[in-house]
Amino acid sequence: MKLFALGPVPMYQRTLEIAGKQIPYFRNPEFSEIMLESEKLMKQVLFAPENAKVVFLTASGTAAMEATVMNCFTEQDKVLIIDGGIFGHRFTEICDMHRIPYDAIHLDFEEVLTEKHLDMYDGKMYTALLVNIHETSTGQLYDVRLLSEFCKRNQMYFIVDAISSFLADPYFMEDWGIDATILSTQKGLAIAPGMSVVTISNRLYEEKVLTTPSKTLYLDFRSHIDNQKRGQTPFTPAVNIAYQLNDMLRSLQEESIEHRLTHMDMIVKDFRCRIADLPIRIPNTPLSNAATPLLFKDRNATIVYETLKEKYDTVLTPCGGNLRDIMVRVGHIGNHYLDENIDLVDNLRKVLNCAK
Ligand SMILES: *Cc1c(COP(=O)(O)O)cnc(C)c1O
């Protein structure tokens, strides 16, 4: 099967080998060493400050989004959310659930987030900005510098879900003044689903995490951070995935982030060039390198997705809701090769010729 999904994504051979191994006991110094190394490497690959804290959760990305909100904010706070699609909207649902006051900047499909959207929220005393830097449901990559500047001048914490952008687009946690980075294993990290990682700036830790009353036992950041001091988690982690994560972080360090991003960029540019003459369109917004959204004016997106799957064993990422019939996404994250684009675009061309 050719997988162009946006998580889980094609995994590397070295990860598949780890996935097939017996799971060792973990309440011991050997496992602690792995987790302490992962913490150190995680901060390096995110370009995060040395004193940042890393929380390893055995839960999917949404739990990490929810845990971040629960551990950092209360009814006394007011947050601003960029609601430009399914994942941005999820932050509003989380805040509704936990009664965190918020305002949301709603963006229509293909509406580019600009300075104008933020202007009216300047000086309004928000505690934090919550954003999914790549809104995976629409493909828009928001301007991180614009948001970073906005947070700095308004003294707001900057909370970034980078789940589908990390390892596809450049990411500099310290330079951009990011206070929390939310990641999940099944996207750019290209390992099995089941864990998520939240990296927290020291100021967010001291000013919010330590002062917010705990509302959750399982997702409590304070106990995770305390336990992680000795390389352990409060509860049984997804041990096998923790080994996959450690191996991936080591391999990234050997390869270098720059090299990984350059490889991604080459694959994505090549793909976008190859489809130039097809009767499809790419949205007019800044895009992440994680995915290329394809728009079908004949509303045949579902047929194209299904035909590619059945006839060519090629799985793209369908869209939900209003976009279901007009858009599919080609995922580029994970173990992909330049050569795969040739077959993919050939098959897409064949399907489009008969899916009218
Ligand atoms: C995939 C994704 C998530 C997490 O989804 P889960 O299914 O809970 O792992 C969160 N935010 C973004 C932007 C994503 O792309």
Side-chain angles (χ1 to χ4, degrees):
M1 192 207 298
K2 298 270 179 344
L3 197 56
F4 297 92
L6 272 163
V9 302
M11 301 203 279
Y12 295 85
Q13 190 55 38
R14 55 191 291 163
T15 308
L16 295 170
E17 276 161 26
I18 297 170
K21 282 192 180 151
Q22 172 62 42
I23 294 167
Y25 185 60
F26 71 100
R27 293 290 188 205
N28 57 24
E30 289 84 349
F31 187 71
S32 291
E33 210 174 292
I34 293 287
M35 294 302 280
L36 289 168
E37 186 186 37
S38 292
E39 177 187 346
K40 191 184 89 197
L41 293 174
M42 197 77 230
K43 289 191 261 189
Q44 281 175 15
V45 295
L46 287 171
F47 298 95
E50 192 76 39
N51 63 359
K53 314 284 181 245
V54 183
V55 175
F56 297 98
L57 300 171
T58 292
S60 90
T62 304
M65 292 166 68
E66 185 165 25
T68 304
V69 170
M70 291 172 82
N71 280 277
C72 299
F73 308 114
T74 68
E75 281 97 330
Q76 267 78 56
D77 290 298
K78 191 164 97 174
V79 302
L80 186 62
I81 298 171
I82 310 294
D83 179 1
I86 290 169
F87 293 103
H89 195 67
R90 192 166 296 172
F91 268 133
T92 71
E93 293 173 313
I94 291 169
C95 289
D96 280 332
M97 179 74 76
H98 297 284
R99 298 197 170 81
I100 313 292
Y102 68 88
D103 282 318
I105 299 180
H106 177 82
L107 299 171
D108 287 328
F109 181 58
E110 288 197 273
E111 182 179 349
V112 178
L113 179 75
T114 65
E115 187 79 56
K116 265 191 257 140
H117 293 100
L118 299 173
D119 277 352
M120 63 181 286
Y121 298 98
D122 258 318
K124 295 278 164 67
M125 308 293 281
Y126 291 94
T127 318
L129 177 80
L130 274 54
V131 66
N132 321 84
I133 204 65
H134 170 218
E135 173 49 77
T136 324
S137 67
T138 65
Q140 181 168 174
L141 180 70
Y142 300 127
D143 183 345
V144 68
R145 286 184 186 79
L146 176 76
L147 296 170
S148 169
E149 284 306 315
F150 174 77
C151 288
K152 274 183 195 151
R153 70 174 177 263
N154 286 288
Q155 280 145 34
M156 291 159 68
Y157 298 105
F158 188 16
I159 309 295
V160 180
D161 164 358
I163 290 180
S164 60
S165 173
F166 178 61
L167 295 181
D169 312 304
Y171 195 84
F172 299 99
M173 185 159 168
E174 184 167 18
D175 285 0
W176 293 339
I178 293 166
D179 290 291
T181 300
I182 300 167
L183 301 178
S184 190
T185 48
Q186 78 275 25
K187 305 273 171 97
L189 283 163
I191 60 179
M195 281 184 78
S196 50
V197 185
V198 187
T199 304
I200 299 164
S201 73
N202 192 54
R203 73 163 190 158
L204 185 66
Y205 173 68
E206 288 186 345
E207 294 165 14
K208 298 303 271 180
V209 175
L210 286 181
T211 61
T212 302
S214 297
K215 282 164 284 189
T216 162
L217 183 79
Y218 187 70
L219 300 172
D220 185 45
F221 281 2
R222 271 182 278 173
S223 82
H224 275 83
I225 290 166
D226 275 348
N227 278 277
Q228 175 59 26
K229 286 179 188 152
R230 58 187 173 99
Q232 289 286 326
T233 49
F235 311 104
T236 309
V239 177
N240 188 277
I241 303 174
Y243 276 95
Q244 295 176 28
L245 177 63
N246 180 260
D247 178 73
M248 182 54 66
L249 292 169
R250 280 187 194 183
S251 98
L252 273 172
Q253 197 198 33
E254 284 158 25
E255 180 190 342
S256 94
I257 295 284
E258 293 73 20
H259 186 271
R260 175 68 70 92
L261 291 177
T262 308
H263 176 75
M264 282 285 302
D265 201 53
M266 177 184 71
I267 289 179
V268 172
K269 289 218 170 85
D270 175 79
F271 176 76
R272 290 178 189 168
C273 273
R274 283 178 190 279
I275 58 167
D277 67 329
L278 293 183
I280 47 183
R281 186 169 74 76
I282 297 177
N284 289 319
T285 59
L287 295 176
S288 164
N289 270 347
T292 304
L294 306 177
L295 286 162
F296 298 80
K297 63 176 181 342
D298 297 332
R299 305 190 65 84
N300 54 354
T302 309
I303 303 167
V304 171
Y305 164 78
E306 277 165 9
T307 313
L308 270 172
K309 179 165 167 260
E310 267 139 49
K311 266 187 138 167
Y312 301 103
D313 203 23
T314 297
V315 178
L316 307 186
T317 314
C319 293
N322 297 340
L323 294 174
R324 199 183 130 82
D325 291 324
I326 62 168
M327 190 166 100
V328 295
R329 291 159 296 164
V330 177
H332 303 295
I333 44 181
N335 185 13
H336 284 293
Y337 301 93
L338 192 59
D339 289 355
E340 285 175 326
N341 286 344
I342 300 171
D343 278 350
L344 173 60
V345 176
D346 270 358
N347 293 338
L348 196 55
R349 193 183 303 276
K350 284 184 217 151
V351 171
L352 278 166
N353 283 335
C354 61
K356 291 259 168 67

